[in-house]
C-alpha cells in the first residue's frame, strides 16, 4: 500500500513492478484515494540480468498519458537487505537521467605515434561495437545512437555514431580517434593545452541516446573510463549503462508519499544434479527415521527462524519424489502427541499444518479453479449488496434483501464445494486419509474428530482462504475492491462454520462473536447441511480410486493476452502482429480473438515439435518466441521478459514427452526467401541450432528438484550456527542423563532421541561442507571463464 501521495487530492492510482525499465506487472487501479491499498502479491522467476528492481506509482488518466508520481528503486545488490520483511520506502522523484537499462561493448586503445620529425604523440582509439538490452520507448524499440567524448579539465571532444532504427540491440561497429598529447614541435594554435600529467584527468565518456526526430532525444545511459587505465594495454569489455551523476538532486523527496513493500528475493546457484545426491537422499529418507524429530527434514524446520522458509522447498522436493504423504503422516503424529483436546486438533502453525497448507496450494490449483472460479467471477463481476452488520449498513440498505443475497452466494459456494469431491486431487485425498486415521487413533472415544481433522484443512485452510483472497490463488487477476472483499469475507466465515458442522455440534452457534452472524445462521440449521459436509469429508478422505476426471477434462495451465504474427497476408501484402488471447491446457494450445470467445486457431499438444526463443533481429521486436508444429512456425510476442519466460517454460513442460520433438531449430525467422540465421534458402531445411534441453518438471506441478535442494542447502548454510548449537545440545543430553540445569540452551528444539538426532546432524554438517567446497570450485571456474568485463559479467560503474 501507499500513503500521503501527491497531488493532495483524491486520485486514481496504480503501481507497476519493473526490472530496470521493463514493466513486468501492474496492480489494479485504486480509485479516489490518497493512501491506496493494493494488497497484491506477485511471484516470478527473473529470466535475465538486471540492475534495479523498481516500483512506480502512477496517477491514472482517462484522456491523457498516465502520470508517473514517483518511484522506489532498489539495487540488485541491496535486495537481500530488505527480503522477508515489510519496509516503508519514500517515493523518489522520476528523473529521466536516472532511467537506464542495458550494456555497451567497447574496445579502447592508447596508441603512440611517431611524427615525421621523430617526436612522439599519443592517440586514443575508441571502437564502439554494440549494445544489448536497451529499453523500449513508448512500448516500441528505440532508435539509438551514441556520443563518444574525451573529457578533461579544459577539453570536451565529442563525436557521434549513426542512428540505428528500431532496435534494442544496435550494432554500431564504429571507430573514433582522439588526440591525447601532441608533440613538442606542434605549432598550430590549439583550443586546449595538454601536458603529460593531464592524462590522469582525462576520461572517455560514452552516452547512449534515443533519437527523438521531432521531439527531444531521450537519455538511455552512460559509462566513463579513465584514460590512465589504458597506458599499458588495449582495453575491451562490456559495461552496464549507468545513470547520470547529476540527476535531479534538487527535487524534494519528502512530499511525494511513501510505499510499503514486502519483498522476498532469493538467488541460488544450482549445480549439476549429481552434486546434490547426498543431501537429497538424506532429506528423502526423513519419513523413515525414528523418531521423526531426528530426521533431516524436521531439523531443517527447527533451525530456520521462519518455518515457512523451510516448508516451501521441502514440500516441493518431497512432492517431486513422491515422499510427501509418509512425511506429513509422521510429523502429524508428533503433533497429535502434544494435542490434549480433540477440538484443538491441527489448529496451530506447526510443521505438519504448514506442510499440508503448502501441499494444497501447489496440488490444488486446478481443483480450486474448476470448483470456485465460476462463482467467484460472478460475485466479483456482478456484486450484490450483502452487508448484514447493522453498524456497517448504509442509508437506504435493506438488511433482509442483503441477507437473501448473502444466503444465495453462500448456498452456491457451499454447493460447489460439497459436490466437488470427484475433482479433489488424489494426493490431497491420500493426505486427508492419513490425517483422519491418525486423529481417530489419538482420540478413539470421539466420533467427530476424524471429520474435524480433515475439515480444519479443506474448509478452514483451503476453500475459506481461497474465497476471501481469490487473487492469491489466481482465481482473480487482482485484489477485489472493498465492498466485494467484505462480501467474500462474510461468505468465507459462513463456509468455515458450515464446514465444521460435520464434526461439531450446532451449539457452536452460541460462540459467534457477532450477533448478526448468529441470526444469519439460524436459517441454516438443517440436517442436510451436516450430512452434505460429512459425505464430502468421507469422499475426500477416502483412498478409493476416483473417476479419472483429469484425463476426461483437460487441465487448464495458463492463459493471457499476447501478440502473434499474422499467418496470412494483409491486403497490402505485409504480415503484421495482432493482439490475441492465448490459452494453454494439457490437451491443446489455442488463441482467440477475445477472452471467452471460440478459438480461431488450435494446435494439439501432441503436434508441438519445439518451443524456442526467437532472435529479436527477426522482426525488431523483444520478448518473442516460436511454437514449431506441423505447419509454419507460430511467432508470438509476450508483453515482457517474465511473461515470455513463463510461457516458454509452460509450453516446454507440457510437450516434453512428445515423441516427435525436434533436436534442431532456426533461432531466426524465414523472411524474403531465406533463413536470417543460417541464410539457407529452403524453408523446410533442418534447423541450424540445437534445441534447448527439456525442463525437468512435472506437467501440473512445476518443480525442479535440484533447485529446491539447493535452496535447502542455502538454509542449512545460513543457519549453520544453530545446527552446531543443536549438535552440542544433543551431546550434553547424551552424556548427562540427569535433570537439565540450563534448559535455555536448547529448550526451543525438539529432541526426543539425542543420539539419533546427533547422528543426523553430523551427516547434515558433513554434506553441507562438501557442497560448500563444490560451490567454491564452481565459482572459481565461473570467474575464470566469465571474467569481469565479459558479456556475462559486465563492468558496473566507473573503471578504476
Amino acid at each position: 500500500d501507499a500513503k500521503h501521495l501527491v497531488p493532495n487530492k483524491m486520485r486514481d492510482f496504480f503501481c507497476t513492478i519493473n526490472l530496470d525499465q521493463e514493466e513486468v506487472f501492474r496492480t489494479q487501479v485504486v480509485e479516489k484515494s490518497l493512501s491506496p491499498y493494493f494488497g497484491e502479491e506477485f511471484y516470478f522467476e527473473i529470466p535475465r540480468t538486471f540492475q534495479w528492481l523498481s516500483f512506480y506509482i502512477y496517477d491514472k488518466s482517462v484522456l491523457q498519458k498516465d502520470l508517473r508520481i514517483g518511484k522506489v528503486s532498489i539495487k540488485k545488490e541491496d535486495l537481500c537487505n530488505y527480503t522477508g520483511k515489510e519496509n516503508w520506502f519514500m517515493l523518489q522523484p522520476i528523473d529521466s537521467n536516472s532511467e537506464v537499462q542495458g550494456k555497451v561493448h567497447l574496445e579502447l586503445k592508447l596508441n603512440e605515434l611517431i611524427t615525421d620529425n621523430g617526436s612522439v604523440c599519443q592517440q586514443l582509439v575508441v571502437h564502439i561495437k554494440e549494445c544489448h538490452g536497451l529499453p523500449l520507448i513508448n512500448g516500441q524499440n528505440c532508435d539509438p545512437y551514441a556520443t563518444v567524448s574525451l573529457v578533461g579539465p579544459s577539453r570536451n571532444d565529442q563525436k557521434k555514431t549513426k542512428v540505428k532504427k528500431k532496435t534494442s540491440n544496435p550494432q554500431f561497429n564504429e571507430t573514433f580517434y582522439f588526440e591525447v598529447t601532441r608533440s613538442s614541435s606542434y605549432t598550430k594554435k590549439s583550443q586546449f593545452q595538454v601536458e603529460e600529467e593531464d592524462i590522469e584527468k582525462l576520461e572517455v565518456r560514452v552516452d547512449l541516446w534515443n533519437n527523438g526526430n521531432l521531439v527531444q532525444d531521450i537519455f538511455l545511459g552512460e559509462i566513463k573510463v579513465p584514460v590512465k587505465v589504458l597506458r599499458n594495454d588495449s582495453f575491451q569489455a562490456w559495461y552496464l549503462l549507468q545513470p547520470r551523476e547529476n540527476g535531479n538532486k534538487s527535487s524534494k523527496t519528502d512530499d511525494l508519499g511513501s510505499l510499503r513493500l514486502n519483498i522476498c528475493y532469493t538467488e541460488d546457484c544450482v549445480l549439476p544434479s549429481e552434486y546434490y545426491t547426498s543431501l537429497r537422499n538424506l532429506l528423502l529418507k526423513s519419513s523413515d527415521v525414528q523418531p521423526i524429530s531426528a530426521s533431516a527434514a524436521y531439523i531443517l524446520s527447527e533451525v530456520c527462524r521462519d518455518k515457512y522458509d523451510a516448508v516451501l522447498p521441502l514440500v516441493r522436493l518431497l512432492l517431486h519424489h513422491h515422499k510427501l504423504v509418509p512425511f506429513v503422516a509422521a510429523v502429524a503424529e508428533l503433533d497429535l502427541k502434544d494435542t490434549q483436546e480433540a477440538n484443538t486438533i491441527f489448529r496451530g502453525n506447526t510443521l505438519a499444518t504448514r506442510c499440508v497448507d503448502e501441499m494444497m496450494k501447489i496440488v490444488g490449483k486446478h481443483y480450486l479453479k474448476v470448483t470456485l472460479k465460476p462463482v467467484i467471477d460472478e460475485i466479483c463481476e456482478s456484486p450484490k449488496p450483502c452487508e448484514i452488520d447493522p453498524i456497517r449498513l448504509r442509508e437506504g440498505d435493506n438488511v433482509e434483501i442483503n441477507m437473501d443475497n448473502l444466503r444465495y452466494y453462500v448456498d452456491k459456494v457451499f454447493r460447489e464445494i460439497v459436490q466437488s469431491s470427484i475433482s479433489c486431487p488424489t494426493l490431497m485425498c491420500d493426505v486427508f486419509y492419513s490425517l483422519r486415521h491418525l486423529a481417530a487413533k489419538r482420540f478413539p472415544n470421539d466420533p467427530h474428530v476424524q471429520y474435524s481433522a480433515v475439515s480444519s484443512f479443506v474448509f478452514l485452510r483451503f476453500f475459506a482462504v481461497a474465497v476471501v483472497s481469490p487473487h492469491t490463488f489466481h482465481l482473480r487477476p487482482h485484489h477485489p475492491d472493498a465492498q466485494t472483499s467484505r462480501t467474500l469475507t462474510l461468505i468465507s466465515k459462513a463456509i468455515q462454520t458450515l464446514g465444521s458442522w460435520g464434526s461439531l455440534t450446532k451449539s457452536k452457534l452460541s460462540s459467534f462473536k457477532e450477533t448478526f452472524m448468529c441470526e444469519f445462521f439460524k436459517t441454516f440449521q438443517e440436517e442436510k447441511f451436516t450430512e452434505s459436509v460429512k459425505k464430502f469429508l468421507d469422499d475426500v478422505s477416502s483412498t478409493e480410486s476416483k473417476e479419472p476426471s483429469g484425463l476426461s477434462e483437460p487441465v487448464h495451465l495458463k492463459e493471457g493476452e499476447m501478440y502473434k504474427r499474422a499467418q496470412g497476408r494483409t491486403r497490402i501484402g505485409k504480415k503484421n502482429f495482432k493482439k490475441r488471447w492465448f490459452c494453454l491446457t494439457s490437451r491443446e494450445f489455442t488463441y482467440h480473438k477475445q477472452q471467452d470467445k471460440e478459438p480461431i486457431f488450435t494446435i494439439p499438444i501432441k503436434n508441438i515439435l519445439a518451443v524456442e526463443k526467437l532472435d529479436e533481429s527477426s522482426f525488431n521486436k523483444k520478448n518473442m518466441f516460436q511454437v514449431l508444429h506441423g505447419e509454419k512456425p507460430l511467432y508470438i510476442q509476450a508483453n515482457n521478459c517474465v511473461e515470455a519466460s513463463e510461457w516458454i517454460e509452460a509450453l516446454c513442460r507440457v510437450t516434453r514427452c512428445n515423441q516427435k520433438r525436434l533436436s534442431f531449430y532456426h533461432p531466426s525467422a524465414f523472411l524474403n526467401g531465406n533463413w536470417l540465421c543460417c541464410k539457407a534458402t529452403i524453408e523446410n531445411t533442418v534447423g541450424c541450432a540445437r534445441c534447448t534441453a527439456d525442463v525437468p518438471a512435472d506437467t501440473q506441478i512445476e518443480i525442479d528438484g535440484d533447485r529446491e535442494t539447493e535452496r535447502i542447502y542455502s538454509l542449512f548454510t545460513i543457519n549453520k550456527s544453530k545446527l552446531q548449537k543443536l549438535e552440542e545440545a544433543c551431546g550434553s543430553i547424551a552424556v548427562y542423563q540427569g535433570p537439565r540445569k540450563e534448559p535455555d540452551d536448547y529448550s526451543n528444539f525438539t529432541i526426543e532421541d539425542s543420539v539419533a538426532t546427533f547422528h543426523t546432524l553430523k551427516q547434515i554438517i558433513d554434506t553441507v561442507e562438501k557442497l560448500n567446497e563444490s560451490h567454491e570450485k564452481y565459482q572459481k571456474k565461473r570467474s575464470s571463464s566469465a571474467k569481469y568485463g565479459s558479456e556475462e559479467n559486465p563492468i558496473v560503474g566507473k573503471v578504476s
Side-chain angles (χ1 to χ4, degrees):
D1 58 347
K3 63 182 180 182
H4 309 317
L5 298 180
V6 295
N8 294 315
K9 54 183 178 179
M10 308 295 264
R11 303 300 289 265
D12 301 340
F13 294 106
F14 67 92
C15 179
T16 68
I17 303 174
N18 292 49
L19 290 174
D20 297 322
Q21 293 304 295
E22 182 178 16
E23 179 185 322
V24 292
F25 291 105
R26 71 168 55 190
T27 68
Q28 65 176 347
V29 177
V30 178
E31 297 179 349
K32 294 181 174 55
S33 175
L34 280 176
S35 299
Y37 176 76
F38 301 110
E40 300 198 38
E41 294 181 10
F42 301 95
Y43 171 84
F44 59 100
E45 303 286 328
I46 299 176
R48 63 169 177 83
T49 57
F50 70 103
Q51 292 190 73
W52 300 86
L53 178 67
S54 301
F55 303 83
Y56 291 80
I57 295 290
Y58 283 80
D59 179 0
K60 181 72 175 174
S61 176
V62 177
L63 300 176
Q64 299 176 337
K65 187 177 179 181
D66 297 332
L67 176 66
R68 295 195 292 185
I69 300 296
K71 69 175 182 178
V72 172
S73 289
I74 305 172
K75 219 168 186 178
K76 178 186 174 183
E77 294 78 17
D78 297 332
L79 282 171
C80 58
N81 299 330
Y82 302 105
T83 191
K85 52 192 175 186
E86 287 186 355
N87 293 278
W88 280 101
F89 297 87
M90 297 296 294
L91 289 178
Q92 302 299 316
I94 296 170
D95 170 23
S96 60
N97 288 332
S98 68
E99 307 290 289
V100 303
Q101 173 185 313
K103 54 191 174 183
V104 60
H105 191 194
L106 291 181
E107 183 178 7
L108 306 172
K109 193 172 184 179
L110 199 58
N111 290 334
E112 287 190 346
L113 301 179
I114 301 176
T115 62
D116 294 339
N117 62 6
S119 59
V120 177
C121 67
Q122 290 184 307
Q123 180 188 58
L124 174 67
V125 183
V126 181
H127 180 194
I128 178 166
K129 296 187 174 185
E130 58 183 319
C131 290
H132 276 184
L134 298 180
L136 299 177
I137 304 296
N138 298 324
Q140 301 294 322
N141 280 330
C142 54
D143 295 338
Y145 70 90
T147 59
V148 182
S149 308
L150 182 62
V151 182
S154 57
R155 67 186 288 182
N156 187 354
D157 292 355
Q158 186 179 95
K159 299 182 180 182
K160 177 180 170 183
T161 68
K162 295 177 181 177
V163 176
K164 300 296 179 180
K165 292 289 186 180
K166 302 299 178 194
T167 177
S168 296
N169 299 325
Q171 302 282 330
F172 292 113
N173 278 321
E174 295 190 41
T175 304
F176 301 100
Y177 300 90
F178 298 89
E179 286 181 314
V180 176
T181 61
R182 293 192 172 90
S183 64
S184 57
S185 61
Y186 189 79
T187 57
K188 185 177 180 181
K189 187 176 180 181
S190 172
Q191 62 182 3
F192 53 84
Q193 302 294 323
V194 180
E195 300 296 335
E196 177 68 24
E197 61 269 16
D198 284 344
I199 292 180
E200 299 289 330
K201 301 174 183 176
L202 292 176
E203 66 180 11
V204 180
R205 192 179 76 207
V206 178
D207 295 80
L208 269 296
W209 298 85
N210 177 63
N211 182 38
N213 292 323
L214 300 177
V215 296
Q216 186 176 358
D217 293 354
I218 298 173
F219 175 74
L220 301 178
E222 71 175 15
I223 64 109
K224 296 178 181 179
V225 182
V227 172
K228 64 183 179 181
V229 304
L230 309 175
R231 280 192 163 183
N232 300 322
D233 200 2
S234 65
F235 202 84
Q236 181 177 184
W238 284 88
Y239 302 82
L240 283 176
L241 292 171
Q242 299 298 310
R244 277 185 170 166
E245 292 179 356
N246 64 342
N248 192 0
K249 294 182 179 178
S250 62
S251 295
K252 294 182 180 179
T253 60
D254 56 353
D255 58 355
L256 296 177
S258 52
L259 183 66
R260 182 166 58 167
L261 302 169
N262 189 338
I263 301 169
C264 293
Y265 175 77
T266 58
E267 185 174 327
D268 293 319
C269 172
V270 183
L271 300 174
S273 187
E274 59 268 19
Y275 287 92
Y276 299 108
T277 303
S278 297
L279 181 57
R280 184 169 55 240
N281 291 343
L282 194 59
L283 292 161
L284 294 180
K285 70 178 185 182
S286 292
S287 57
D288 301 324
V289 175
Q290 294 292 334
I292 190 65
S293 60
S295 69
Y298 194 91
I299 289 170
L300 175 68
S301 71
E302 287 281 272
V303 297
C304 288
R305 185 173 60 87
D306 186 348
K307 271 190 170 59
Y308 182 76
D309 291 340
V311 165
L312 182 58
L314 184 60
V315 167
R316 292 168 71 87
L317 180 69
L318 295 175
L319 262 177
H320 186 61
H321 292 280
H322 311 291
K323 295 281 187 180
L324 183 65
V325 177
F327 178 74
V328 168
V331 291
E333 192 169 13
L334 182 62
D335 258 17
L336 289 170
K337 285 182 182 178
D338 297 328
T339 305
Q340 303 304 319
E341 297 181 14
N343 62 357
T344 62
I345 193 168
F346 300 132
R347 290 297 173 91
N349 277 325
T350 63
L351 177 60
T353 58
R354 289 198 171 194
C355 281
V356 177
D357 285 351
E358 200 56 45
M359 178 274 297
M360 291 190 297
K361 281 183 187 176
I362 297 170
V363 178
K365 280 182 185 176
H366 178 64
Y367 180 32
L368 281 176
K369 278 190 176 180
V370 298
T371 305
L372 290 183
K373 194 174 190 320
V375 65
I376 294 292
D377 285 344
E378 179 188 339
I379 295 167
C380 293
E381 292 167 11
S382 306
K384 299 177 181 180
C386 294
E387 186 56 72
I388 58 173
D389 183 353
I391 298 174
R392 291 173 175 256
L393 287 173
R394 292 176 296 188
E395 189 175 347
D397 282 352
N398 186 316
V399 70
E400 291 182 359
I401 292 176
N402 289 4
M403 192 173 287
D404 287 342
N405 291 338
L406 182 60
R407 175 64 192 259
Y408 166 77
Y409 283 146
V410 170
D411 277 343
K412 194 161 187 176
V413 172
F414 178 80
R415 187 167 59 251
E416 293 294 337
I417 291 172
V418 296
Q419 293 177 357
S420 71
S421 60
I422 197 70
S423 302
C424 186
T426 305
L427 188 72
M428 285 176 63
C429 295
D430 291 344
V431 169
F432 295 153
Y433 176 83
S434 295
L435 297 177
R436 176 177 180 169
H437 285 270
L438 286 169
K441 181 181 173 183
R442 175 68 178 85
F443 298 101
N445 298 323
D446 189 327
H448 301 293
V449 73
Q450 59 177 318
Y451 293 109
S452 58
V454 179
S455 67
S456 63
F457 286 107
V458 74
F459 278 101
L460 271 66
R461 293 173 177 264
F462 187 57
F463 283 120
V465 178
V467 168
V468 81
S469 302
H471 59 291
T472 306
F473 291 83
H474 306 292
L475 299 176
R476 295 291 299 170
H478 295 294
H479 189 282
D481 61 55
Q483 184 178 336
T484 308
S485 286
R486 174 62 179 165
T487 298
L488 293 173
T489 300
L490 292 172
I491 296 169
S492 179
K493 285 183 178 184
I495 293 302
Q496 290 181 51
T497 304
L498 291 174
S500 69
W501 274 12
S503 54
L504 302 171
T505 60
K506 293 178 185 177
S507 61
K508 183 75 174 174
L509 287 179
S510 61
S511 66
F512 264 118
K513 293 179 183 177
E514 304 101 333
T515 308
F516 62 88
M517 287 300 288
C518 188
E519 291 298 317
F520 175 63
F521 268 97
K522 285 181 180 179
T523 64
F524 281 86
Q525 292 189 34
E526 302 172 17
E527 192 66 29
K528 67 174 185 178
F529 286 99
T530 303
E531 291 305 313
S532 295
V533 170
K534 281 192 173 183
K535 184 180 184 307
F536 170 73
L537 295 174
D538 280 332
D539 289 343
V540 297
S541 59
S542 167
T543 56
E544 293 178 10
S545 60
K546 295 179 169 53
E547 294 178 23
S549 57
L551 298 177
S552 58
E553 290 294 326
V555 178
H556 180 97
L557 298 173
K558 191 170 178 61
E559 63 181 350
E561 201 170 60
M562 295 186 289
Y563 295 84
K564 59 160 279 291
R565 187 175 186 245
Q567 302 282 55
R569 288 189 174 274
T570 63
R571 291 177 183 174
I572 59 173
K574 183 181 177 182
K575 292 189 177 181
N576 58 1
F577 283 79
K578 296 180 179 178
K579 187 185 290 186
R580 292 288 182 257
W581 185 266
F582 288 81
C583 184
L584 175 65
T585 71
S586 55
R587 189 177 295 167
E588 58 193 19
F589 181 49
T590 59
Y591 62 77
H592 315 241
K593 200 160 189 177
Q594 293 176 335
Q595 188 179 4
D596 299 326
K597 298 289 185 182
E598 289 299 310
I600 301 171
F601 190 71
T602 300
I603 307 174
I605 292 301
K606 63 182 181 180
N607 291 354
I608 294 178
L609 307 177
V611 182
E612 298 289 345
K613 290 182 180 178
L614 187 72
D615 283 353
E616 180 191 327
S617 58
S618 299
F619 303 106
N620 280 332
K621 291 182 181 291
K622 301 182 79 169
N623 306 316
M624 288 205 64
F625 63 96
Q626 53 184 319
V627 180
L628 308 179
H629 55 109
E631 302 173 27
K632 292 185 178 182
L634 177 61
Y635 297 127
I636 301 171
Q637 183 187 27
N639 294 295
N640 56 64
C641 64
V642 172
E643 187 178 79
S645 177
E646 288 178 349
W647 272 104
I648 292 170
E649 184 180 346
L651 282 159
C652 285
R653 196 168 58 245
V654 77
T655 60
R656 76 195 193 288
C657 295
N658 287 359
Q659 295 181 351
K660 295 182 180 179
R661 277 183 69 91
L662 297 177
S663 299
F664 292 88
Y665 78 108
H666 291 284
S668 289
F670 186 82
L671 295 174
N672 302 322
N674 67 77
W675 289 101
L676 299 181
C677 43
C678 60
K679 307 305 178 187
T681 55
I682 302 173
E683 189 168 3
N684 60 356
T685 190
V686 177
C688 57
R690 182 171 288 279
C691 288
T692 52
D694 293 339
V695 180
D698 184 272
T699 300
Q700 295 181 45
I701 305 172
E702 306 167 23
I703 296 174
D704 180 342
D706 293 337
R707 179 167 188 170
E708 305 307 332
T709 313
E710 169 63 28
R711 184 93 289 272
I712 291 170
Y713 152 75
S714 299
L715 292 171
F716 275 136
T717 303
I718 293 167
N719 295 286
K720 189 175 180 180
S721 61
K722 287 187 179 179
L723 287 172
Q724 292 169 337
K725 188 176 179 181
L726 185 54
E727 191 178 34
E728 291 169 8
C730 290
S732 63
I733 292 171
V735 172
Y736 179 67
Q737 298 293 336
R740 301 180 186 180
K741 293 182 179 179
E742 298 179 358
D744 292 343
D745 287 343
Y746 44 85
S747 58
N748 293 329
F749 299 131
T750 302
I751 305 175
E752 292 180 288
D753 185 328
S754 59
V755 176
T757 306
F758 183 88
H759 178 68
T760 305
L761 282 163
K762 192 171 186 329
Q763 288 179 296
I764 293 171
I765 292 169
D766 289 346
T767 303
V768 168
E769 286 177 354
K770 286 179 182 176
L771 267 172
N772 281 339
E773 293 173 8
S774 300
H775 272 281
E776 287 172 7
K777 288 179 182 177
Y778 175 79
Q779 291 295 348
K780 285 180 182 177
K781 184 179 177 182
R782 184 184 179 191
S783 61
S784 62
S785 62
K787 65 179 183 179
Y788 194 46
S790 65
E791 185 175 0
E792 298 80 16
N793 190 18
I795 294 171
V796 181
K798 196 171 181 178
V799 178
S800 59

